Every structure is written in structure tokens, then in C-alpha cells.
């Protein structure tokens, strides 16, 4: 069973606290042992006050120290210890050094391993009484005192460990509370809830994560609303031609309308409308999943525009639209699929024909900008807002006669993005709409 983040944090903090306590104990105990042994040694020297006084008297008698290791020095240190074996053993450990710390009496020892006490006469140091540094705490009160200190520290460490774990458990709960709240928000998103409230936190990273989750919830909500609207619009678009087909078929079946060429043409018109709508929806679906297959090659922009104008010549002439081709370089070559480029131009010209007033001006222009060709189509209006949303129509009445299926610019945008280009719509200086493209240039001319 996986361990919770709170438990891991509490355990980590507790282990860190125990390690810190262990280090403090080791360093403190090492210093305590060293200092306590130093204290015991100095205390033993202080207990040798009688010896020190005899040595002072000896020095004052001669105004100097007798020869090193002489019997007189040995008697001065030993004194009258008959019958006192403990005192005899203690005095045997004593060493005498002169003012320059040269050994006068006792076995030779490392000077750094001695505990020394100065012997002074008239505030002038005449020598040192020394004892070898104790390596272990002697039995007795000293050992009892050291053991008591260790027990006191162990008890303190135990209480400190409990307090550290309690603090670590509280702090880990405080730290993980926003994370648990964020996890609940994610679970709500997974269950379909979109109105989630991110938790309040002062941690910069968690605050950024909470903002991202809130933004994700808002984006999902927008996408779901768009999807619902998208499905409703598709149903609407399909329902209209199907209703017309059903009505005309029932009229023919009931004999209300004669089965003649006109009736057949009307049925074919609605079938063609359904066919075009399904094809447009299929193009958008393929673009969304990056499944659109493009036969990319070098395409001459001017030739593609001329061909599109020829295809729409009759409709343009019927509305009296004037065409202007403001492209000086006739060798502008786009990296594009010829059929998809033609589809883009057809949709753009169809929008101009549908929405522009009679005798409007339509202008194509282009220029080279590094590795891209920036070209655009603009008209004198009134045009429409240039919305690239799917199934969007400029006319609020959503009449099929004037508004079409509302997929034209959505398909244009998908096709341009599939080619690695960019497209945006803006107001044209001519008074209508300007649709501008940034398209990859072909390296090889036709």
C-alpha cells in the first residue's frame, strides 16, 4: 500500500530531527567527556595542596629547584604517607615541571597530554604540578555524575523526538492540505464538474498550479459549451435539407406535386446541399485530428487566383463586382496542396459574392517577408465580421439562402493551419473585410 505524502513528509522531518539530535548528542558528549576529564584532573591537582605547599617551601629554602629526579624532590612530593596507600598511589601520578616546563620529577610524558597547575611564589610562576590526563572517568561520584548527565540528555532527546514528530505531522498536514484540495478539484473535473474553486495558498508553486487548474476548468467548460453548440448547429443544418426532402417526397408520394424535371431538380439541389455539408464537416474533422492528407508542392499564387476568378466569373459578373490583382511579382510560389488552395480561394470568393453589396471592389495583394508570403483578399463591404467559428453566419436570421452552412471560414482557417500558415481577419481600408495570410514560400519555382 503506497504511503501518503503527509506520512512521508512527517517521517522525513522526524528522521531529520533524530539525525540532528544524534549529531548534537555525539558532539556534546565528546566535548562533555573531554571537559569533564579535564575537570576531574584539575580537581585532583587542587586536592594536592599539601604537596604544593611542601614544594613551595623547598624552593624558598634553596631559592631554586634541587636537581631533577633527586631524592629530596621525591620526598617533598610523597610526604608522610605511611599507612595511607590511596594517598601514596595518588602522589605517584604527580609530575613536577620547572618554569620552562622541563621535567624535574616523574616519568616522561607528552606535554600535550598533561593537566597542569602553576606553582607560584610572590606572584611569579616557579614551576608546574602536573598529572597525566585521565582517559576514563574514575569510579565514584564522578562516574555517577556522568551517567546522570547521559540519562538526562536521553530523556530530553526522547521528548524532543516526540515533539519533533508532532510538529512534523502538523506541518505536513498543513503543507499537504492545498495539495489535497487540488486533488479534489481534479477529481471533480474528472467527474464532469466545471465550476471548481481553487484553494487559497501562499506557496508560489501551488498557487500557480491552482490557477492552472482553474484555467483548465474554464477551458473545458468553454469547449463543452462549444461542442454542445456545435452539435446543435450540425443538427440544425442537417434538419433543414432533410425536412425539405421529406416534404417534397411526401408531396410527390401523395400526388400533390407532379413528378417532373423541376421536382427532381429540387430534390437534387437538397441532396447536393447535404453532400457539400457532409464534405465540409469531414474536412474539419480531419483537420482537427491532423488526419488531412496534403499533396504539398509549389503553387503559383497568381495562377491560383486567376483560376478561382474564372470559376466564379459568372457570379461575380452577375453582382457587378470588380476584381483587382495588386501583385507585382508574378512568380510568388506557395508551398501548398493545389486542390486545398483552390478550396480556400473558392470559399473566400463565395463569401465576397454572398455578403458584399452589388458592384463591390475585391482586391488581392501579396508581398514577400523572409520565408513567408503575406497575401490577403479584401473587399469594399459591407462584408461581415470575419468570424472563423464553425457554423457562424453573419446574418442573425441564419437563413440558408443568404448565409450558407457557415463553415467556409472555419474550413479556410483549418486548411491554412494544416499548411503551417497563419490567417486573421480585420477591417479593410476599402470599407469591408480583409482576410490576411502568412504562408510558407516554396523554395523551387514552378
Amino acid at each position: 500500500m503506497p504511503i501518503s505524502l503527509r506520512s512521508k513528509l512527517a517521517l522525513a522531518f522526524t528522521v531529520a530531527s533524530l539525525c540532528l539530535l544524534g549529531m548534537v548528542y555525539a558532539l556534546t558528549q565528546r566535548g562533555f567527556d573531554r571537559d569533564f576529564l579535564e575537570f576531574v584532573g584539575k580537581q585532583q591537582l587542587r586536592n594536592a595542596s599539601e604537596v604544593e605547599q611542601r614544594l613551595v617551601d623547598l624552593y624558598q629554602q634553596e631559592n631554586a629547584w634541587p636537581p631533577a629526579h633527586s631524592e629530596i624532590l621525591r620526598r617533598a612530593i610523597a610526604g608522610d604517607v605511611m599507612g595511607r596507600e590511596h594517598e601514596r598511589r595518588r602522589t605517584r601520578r604527580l609530575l613536577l615541571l620547572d618554569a620552562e616546563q622541563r621535567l624535574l620529577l616523574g616519568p616522561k610524558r607528552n606535554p600535550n597530554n598533561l593537566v597542569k597547575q602553576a606553582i607560584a611564589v610572590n606572584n611569579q610562576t616557579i614551576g608546574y604540578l602536573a598529572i597525566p590526563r585521565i582517559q576514563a572517568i574514575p569510579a565514584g561520584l564522578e562516574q555517577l555524575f556522568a551517567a546522570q548527565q547521559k540519562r538526562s540528555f536521553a530523556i530530553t532527546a526522547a521528548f524532543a523526538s516526540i515533539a519533533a514528530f508532532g510538529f512534523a505531522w502538523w506541518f505536513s498536514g498543513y503543507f499537504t492540505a492545498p495539495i489535497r484540495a487540488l486533488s479534489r478539484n481534479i477529481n471533480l473535473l474528472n467527474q464532469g464538474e466545471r465550476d471548481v474553486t481553487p484553494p487559497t495558498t501562499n506557496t508560489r508553486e501551488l498557487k500557480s498550479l491552482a490557477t492552472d487548474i482553474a484555467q483548465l476548468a474554464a477551458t473545458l467548460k468553454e469547449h463543452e459549451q462549444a461542442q454542445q453548440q456545435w452539435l446543435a448547429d450540425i443538427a440544425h443544418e442537417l434538419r433543414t435539407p432533410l425536412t425539405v426532402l421529406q416534404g417534397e417526397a411526401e408531396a410527390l408520394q401523395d400526388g400533390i406535386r407532379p413528378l417532373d424535371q423541376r421536382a427532381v431538380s429540387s430534390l437534387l439541389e437538397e441532396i447536393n446541399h447535404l453532400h457539400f455539408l457532409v464534405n465540409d464537416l469531414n474536412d474539419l474533422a480531419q483537420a482537427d485530428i491532423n488526419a488531412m492528407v496534403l499533396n504539398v508542392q509549389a503553387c503559383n499564387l497568381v495562377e491560383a487566383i486567376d483560376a478561382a476568378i474564372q470559376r466564379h466569373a459568372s457570379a461575380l459578373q452577375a453582382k457587378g463586382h470588380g476584381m483587382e490583382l495588386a501583385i507585382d511579382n508574378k512568380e510568388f510560389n506557395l508551398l501548398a496542396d493545389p486542390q486545398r488552395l483552390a478550396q480556400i480561394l473558392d470559399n473566400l470568393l463565395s463569401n465576397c459574392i454572398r455578403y458584399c453589396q452589388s458592384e463591390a471592389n475585391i482586391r488581392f495583394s501579396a508581398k514577400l517577408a523572409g520565408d513567408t508570403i503575406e497575401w490577403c483578399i479584401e473587399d469594399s463591404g459591407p462584408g461581415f465580421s470575419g468570424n472563423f467559428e464553425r457554423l457562424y453566419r453573419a446574418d442573425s436570421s441564419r437563413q440558408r439562402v443568404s448565409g450558407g452552412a457557415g463553415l467556409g471560414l472555419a474550413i479556410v482557417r483549418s486548411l491554412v493551419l494544416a499548411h503551417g500558415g497563419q490567417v486573421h481577419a480585420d477591417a479593410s481600408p476599402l470599407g469591408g473585410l480583409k482576410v490576411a495570410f502568412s504562408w510558407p514560400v516554396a523554395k523551387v519555382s514552378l
Side-chain angles (χ1 to χ4, degrees):
M1 181 178 179
I3 304 176
S4 65
L5 178 60
R6 181 179 185 181
S7 300
K8 289 182 179 180
L9 287 174
L11 182 62
F13 290 154
T14 303
V15 170
S17 300
L18 292 176
C19 291
L20 181 60
L21 284 173
M23 292 176 60
V24 171
Y25 173 77
L27 294 175
T28 303
Q29 189 63 35
R30 180 180 179 183
F32 172 79
D33 290 345
R34 182 183 64 249
D35 295 341
F36 188 66
L37 291 174
E38 183 85 10
F39 170 79
V40 172
K42 290 183 177 181
Q43 190 65 31
Q44 290 181 0
L45 286 176
R46 291 189 188 98
N47 294 334
S49 58
E50 296 180 3
V51 176
E52 182 180 353
Q53 185 61 46
R54 289 196 297 270
L55 291 172
V56 169
D57 293 341
L58 178 62
Y59 183 87
Q60 288 178 333
Q61 290 175 6
E62 304 292 336
N63 200 23
W65 292 112
H69 304 287
S70 63
E71 184 64 25
I72 189 171
L73 285 177
R74 189 173 290 107
R75 286 198 304 268
I77 291 179
D80 184 13
V81 293
M82 293 189 62
R84 291 183 291 172
E85 184 64 25
H86 174 72
E87 186 71 16
R88 184 182 298 110
R89 287 197 302 269
R90 184 174 63 81
T91 56
R92 287 174 183 172
R93 300 180 66 245
L94 294 175
L95 288 84
L96 180 63
L97 309 175
D98 63 9
E100 286 74 28
Q101 300 192 25
R102 293 188 294 264
L103 182 64
L104 295 176
L105 184 66
K108 188 176 182 179
R109 301 278 186 175
N110 184 354
N112 296 326
N113 199 28
L114 296 176
V115 179
K116 306 170 187 175
Q117 179 175 296
I119 303 173
V121 174
N122 298 326
N123 296 326
Q124 181 180 2
T125 300
I126 61 172
Y128 295 91
L129 196 60
I131 188 173
R133 194 179 300 276
I134 301 174
Q135 301 300 321
I137 298 176
L141 293 177
E142 294 89 349
Q143 199 170 65
L144 292 176
F145 175 78
Q148 180 63 36
Q149 292 299 312
K150 292 181 179 180
R151 283 195 297 271
S152 299
F153 187 88
I155 294 173
T156 303
F159 280 108
S161 300
I162 295 173
F165 178 78
F167 173 78
W169 184 258
W170 171 83
F171 178 77
S172 61
Y174 173 80
F175 179 78
T176 57
I179 299 178
R180 293 195 299 271
L182 291 174
S183 178
R184 287 193 295 269
N185 285 346
I186 294 175
N187 288 333
L188 290 175
L189 289 178
N190 189 44
Q191 295 170 8
E193 179 63 38
R194 299 295 177 253
D195 295 325
V196 296
T197 302
T200 302
T201 175
N202 295 325
T203 306
R204 182 176 59 184
E205 292 80 5
L206 293 180
K207 186 176 182 179
S208 176
L209 179 59
T211 302
D212 293 341
I213 291 177
Q215 183 62 40
L216 174 62
T219 302
L220 289 175
K221 186 176 182 179
E222 292 177 0
H223 286 177
E224 288 177 352
Q225 291 175 347
Q227 184 181 28
Q228 292 173 358
Q229 184 62 42
W230 167 239
L231 293 175
D233 288 341
I234 291 176
H236 173 82
E237 292 298 330
L238 293 174
R239 186 183 298 112
T240 302
L242 287 174
T243 301
V244 174
L245 281 173
Q246 182 181 6
E248 292 188 358
E250 290 176 351
L252 291 174
Q253 185 181 29
D254 296 339
I256 300 175
R257 185 176 179 182
L259 182 59
D260 52 14
Q261 187 64 33
R262 182 178 178 182
V264 173
S265 298
S266 178
L267 292 175
L268 287 175
E269 182 180 353
E270 296 302 328
I271 291 174
N272 288 333
H273 180 76
L274 279 174
H275 178 74
F276 292 143
L277 179 59
V278 171
N279 286 341
D280 288 346
L281 292 173
N282 182 65
D283 289 342
L284 285 176
Q286 288 184 337
D288 283 345
I289 62 175
N290 296 322
M292 185 177 292
V293 179
L294 300 176
N295 181 22
V296 178
Q297 55 186 276
C299 300
N300 186 276
L301 178 60
V302 175
E303 293 179 359
I305 293 174
D306 286 338
I309 293 174
Q310 292 299 322
R311 289 193 296 272
H312 296 270
S314 58
L316 292 169
Q317 185 177 4
K319 295 197 67 173
H321 294 331
M323 298 299 303
E324 179 183 357
L325 199 60
I327 302 177
D328 296 333
N329 190 345
K330 304 299 183 182
E331 300 300 324
F332 277 153
N333 295 316
L334 303 177
L335 194 61
D337 185 319
Q339 294 183 353
R340 297 301 184 180
L341 180 59
Q343 185 179 1
I344 291 172
L345 292 170
D346 288 342
N347 283 333
L348 294 173
L349 286 175
S350 297
N351 280 331
C352 292
I353 294 170
R354 181 178 298 115
Y355 295 108
C356 290
Q357 62 185 358
S358 298
E359 299 181 356
N361 292 325
I362 302 173
R363 180 171 66 188
F364 284 95
S365 60
K367 64 178 181 180
L368 185 64
D371 292 336
T372 61
I373 296 177
E374 296 180 354
W375 61 281
C376 68
I377 177 174
E378 49 190 328
D379 57 65
S380 59
F384 70 115
S385 64
N387 196 307
F388 288 94
E389 294 180 6
R390 300 169 178 178
L391 298 172
Y392 175 86
R393 289 205 188 89
D395 52 334
S396 58
S397 63
R398 299 178 59 85
Q399 294 179 356
R400 294 171 58 244
V401 175
S402 62
L407 294 172
L409 286 185
I411 293 176
V412 167
R413 179 178 179 276
S414 297
L415 290 176
V416 173
L417 294 178
H419 283 83
Q422 298 292 328
V423 58
H424 68 275
D426 201 356
S428 169
L430 298 180
L433 176 68
K434 175 182 179 181
V435 181
F437 302 85
S438 179
W439 201 292
V441 65
K443 299 298 182 180
V444 181
S445 301
L446 290 172

